[in-house]
Amino acid sequence: MAVQIETSNKFLNYINGEWVASNTNEVMTNINPANTDDVVGQVQKSSREDLDKAVAAAKPAKKEWRDLAGAERGQYLYKAADVLESRIEEVAQCMTREMGKTFPEAKGETARGVAILRYYAGEGMRKVGDVIPSSDNDALMFTTRDPLGVVGVITPWNFPVAIPMWKMAPALIYGNTVVLKPASEAAVTCAKIFECFQEAGLPAGVANMITGPGSVIGQGLAEHPDVSGITFTGSNTVGKNIGQIALARGAKYQLEMGGKNPVIVAEDADLDLAVEATISGGLRSTGQKCTATSRVIVQSDVYEVFKEKLVAKVKEIRVGDGLQDGVWMGPSVSESQLNTVLSYIEKGKEEGELLCGGKRLSGEEYDKGYFVAPTVFDGITSDATIAQEEIFGPVLALMKVDEMEEAIELANDVEYGLSASIFTTNIQKMLSFIDDMDAGLVRVNAESAGVELQAPFGGMKQSSSHSREQGEAAKEFFTSIKTVFVK
Ligand code: NAP
Ligand code: MG
């Protein structure tokens, strides 16, 4: 592949339009999970003092920023989109090296970042309120929307461009200023977004970035009295803690968390399509998507045929360094994520029958990275640990059912409710699934992982704080409705 490996780089915090070193003089080093000899970059291991400086920059910046017309704010986002677009290859390459997803996927994600910026840039010219007839005929009553003020953005490593962007772009267009605390494991890629903001001439203080440990900077953002809203995507444990902190001090919050997403394969399904979507939904990005397919619920009549086709295809998957041509699946993001996945795999061996994979990959191509073989288990029951807990790795659990009602019951038998998919050609089954499935995204004859930036995104049950992100839904979180009465 004709991509140039960059030499290692040191990245600073971005505060008030400038790159600033942390007062700790400490850095965190990010390495390539496909080759631990490759240093991707260093980011600041910041302190609360650094965070205070960023919030102190965002706070006064909000007045001038919100006083601009929406269309003027939109112009900055259009410019940022153009800059990011011109740097797609470089940003995507950095993403692959930093968190392991394949280069084509990283490019797709970066292009999505560009599209998100353009979508919300346009939002600056769309309506913000309604005129409501007052019972007083001499009065005018209408609604408008105010920005929250300073918004704290806390993001995970698995979509280092798309998730920060689908939070920051709407925050900015509706007139908020932001402080981003990116996931440490993908902070170099996030720094590149801020280089784009800087090149686009975003006014100082409007968007700031502080890197550092979640327990210090993430927690600090949640607790900061000058931060009026917190938007978080990540694990349930961390999310719930942030929600409690925000609730206690009366800040608005939004949490998008884990998933344990099912695919149902009905006896009348197009099995080849279902196999392809199960593999794509479950194993692409090494299973490290919140919407990844994890439980594969198959009707008994087609169970054996489906299983055979699935395992044959999974065995063909080419694992390796995501920058190499022809590689379909990269490594786990980190050693600790690798160990988590391997421990779930060991659990799975006790709970069911291993059909393929089931181990860390070794050999010259693999020894310097965190590679796991794509893994499929058979005979998993719903009470099994690997049928209940989010693994975030390339592991599929097959489960057999006789009837469709049982399939949906099983699909709902987890604490999460992010996404779910069904493969069927029967309209009645489609409709029952759409009605009865407790998930924020339900997809028919399509894989569980698939998000469109113009549509609402979010989960039910333990997957979310029940708010929605993206599309027009973002307006609900990033603004407050103000009802105006004029006599
Ligand atoms: P995570 O460990 O919860 O981290 C998410 C973010 O929170 C990171 O920036 C992290 O910083 C920060 N953080 C860690 N501890 C914190 C604390 N005590 N207070 C405040 N912030 C803290 O999650 P992850 O491992 O990065 O990502 C994987 C999880 O994200 C999975 O559960 C996945 O399902 C979920 N996810 C959900 C969605 C969705 O939209 N529903 C999308 C993608 C991922 P550090 O990096 O410095 O630890
Ligand atoms: Mg983490």
Side-chain angles (χ1 to χ4, degrees):
M1 182 157 292
V3 277
Q4 196 85 37
I5 299 271
E6 248 176 79
T7 49
S8 79
N9 260 318
K10 197 168 192 167
F11 290 84
L12 305 180
N13 289 323
Y14 191 69
I15 304 175
N16 213 18
E18 282 170 15
W19 295 97
V20 194
S22 162
N23 64 356
T24 63
N25 281 317
E26 286 181 72
V27 293
M28 309 187 289
T29 300
N30 282 2
I31 47 117
N32 181 342
N35 171 11
T36 53
D37 288 344
D38 177 24
V39 174
V40 180
Q42 290 182 321
V43 295
Q44 304 297 299
K45 188 172 179 185
S46 310
S47 68
R48 289 245 187 162
E49 261 177 64
D50 299 310
L51 175 64
D52 285 342
K53 284 183 198 150
V55 176
K59 195 180 168 185
K62 71 189 180 192
K63 173 86 177 83
E64 252 178 69
W65 182 245
R66 67 173 287 181
D67 284 349
L68 293 178
E72 287 176 288
R73 287 194 296 270
Q75 286 306 319
Y76 289 104
L77 299 197
Y78 281 125
K79 272 187 211 145
D82 292 345
V83 177
L84 181 60
E85 191 168 48
S86 73
R87 293 178 59 178
I88 277 190
E89 300 268 330
E90 172 218 336
V91 173
Q93 183 208 1
C94 175
M95 190 190 303
T96 298
R97 282 175 65 212
E98 190 173 36
M99 55 68 69
K101 73 173 60 173
T102 64
F103 185 64
E105 281 186 86
K107 250 172 96 168
E109 181 184 335
T110 311
R112 175 174 295 241
V114 173
I116 291 168
L117 280 166
R118 292 195 175 129
Y119 174 88
Y120 284 108
E123 191 63 15
M125 296 178 78
R126 297 196 188 100
K127 72 163 192 150
V128 290
D130 300 300
V131 177
I132 300 155
S134 167
S135 41
D136 181 341
N137 216 19
D138 294 327
L140 168 65
M141 188 160 67
F142 61 95
T143 61
T144 182
R145 285 177 183 263
D146 277 4
L148 304 180
V150 179
V151 171
V153 177
I154 304 173
T155 53
W157 46 262
N158 62 340
F159 288 95
V161 168
I163 295 179
M165 211 61 104
W166 84 47
K167 293 178 183 297
M168 290 193 292
L172 294 173
I173 200 66
Y174 299 125
N176 302 281
T177 56
V178 302
V179 177
L180 171 72
K181 152 40 196 150
S184 298
E185 268 143 350
V188 172
T189 308
C190 291
K192 296 199 176 259
I193 300 175
F194 280 77
E195 290 176 352
C196 296
F197 284 160
Q198 186 180 36
E199 209 181 318
L202 205 67
V206 166
N208 308 273
M209 179 192 77
I210 301 285
T211 57
S215 55
V216 179
I217 307 302
Q219 175 108 6
L221 258 182
E223 288 173 354
H224 206 293
D226 291 333
V227 174
S228 322
I230 287 281
T231 172
F232 168 86
T233 298
S235 62
N236 278 57
T237 325
V238 173
K240 284 195 173 151
N241 181 48
I242 288 173
Q244 269 161 6
I245 296 168
L247 181 68
R249 66 177 185 84
K252 198 170 180 181
Y253 67 94
Q254 174 184 54
L255 315 169
E256 287 304 331
M257 302 173 286
K260 189 69 189 172
N261 314 294
V263 56
I264 296 174
V265 182
E267 58 200 3
D268 49 71
D270 175 336
L271 290 188
D272 292 322
L273 189 69
V275 164
E276 209 142 285
T278 301
I279 290 175
S280 179
L283 306 176
R284 222 181 254 285
S285 285
T286 322
Q288 301 175 130
K289 293 184 186 177
C290 51
T291 51
T293 305
S294 172
R295 297 174 297 138
V296 188
I297 302 166
V298 187
Q299 272 197 295
S300 46
D301 282 1
V302 293
Y303 191 86
E304 291 303 322
V305 186
F306 177 84
K307 181 169 92 180
E308 210 170 287
K309 282 175 184 272
L310 180 76
V311 171
K313 286 268 182 201
V314 170
K315 284 180 174 164
E316 286 171 11
I317 290 175
R318 170 97 174 82
V319 182
D321 178 343
L323 284 179
Q324 300 295 322
D325 272 334
V327 165
W328 190 88
M329 193 182 103
S332 289
V333 69
S334 62
E335 190 168 15
S336 85
Q337 189 65 35
L338 170 77
N339 289 331
T340 304
V341 174
L342 292 175
S343 74
Y344 277 115
I345 288 177
E346 287 317 306
K347 193 83 197 151
K349 289 176 184 169
E350 293 163 20
E351 293 176 325
E353 186 199 338
L354 179 69
L355 294 176
C356 65
K359 58 175 194 304
R360 181 173 183 173
L361 290 168
S362 58
E364 207 187 329
E365 195 186 347
Y366 299 123
D367 286 346
K368 284 187 176 164
Y370 306 130
F371 296 98
V372 194
T375 299
V376 183
F377 285 105
D378 194 9
I380 298 296
T381 53
S382 194
D383 58 349
T385 308
I386 69 157
Q388 290 294 326
E389 294 180 13
E390 183 179 52
I391 299 173
F392 238 52
V395 181
L396 293 168
L398 283 168
M399 304 161 94
K400 195 194 289 190
V401 291
D402 291 324
E403 301 302 329
M404 193 41 51
E405 297 81 74
E406 193 190 342
I408 294 178
E409 218 169 276
L410 209 61
N412 278 327
D413 184 30
V414 287
E415 59 179 9
Y416 296 108
L418 187 53
S419 80
S421 92
I422 191 170
F423 284 80
T424 179
T425 49
N426 177 305
I427 186 90
Q428 193 51 55
K429 285 180 187 169
M430 291 177 192
L431 294 175
S432 313
F433 171 79
I434 293 168
D435 264 1
D436 298 338
M437 192 65 226
D438 300 327
L441 281 119
V442 293
R443 298 173 49 88
V444 178
N445 294 324
E447 67 175 71
S448 68
V451 171
E452 297 204 35
L453 63 98
Q454 70 277 29
F457 174 71
M460 293 183 183
K461 302 200 290 190
Q462 300 290 318
S463 290
S464 153
S465 59
H466 315 288
S467 40
R468 291 290 179 267
E469 303 192 272
Q470 305 198 63
E472 276 184 52
K475 199 189 288 175
E476 299 308 324
F477 180 73
F478 291 108
T479 63
S480 286
I481 293 178
K482 186 180 266 176
T483 305
V484 184
F485 180 87
V486 184
K487 172 97 175 165

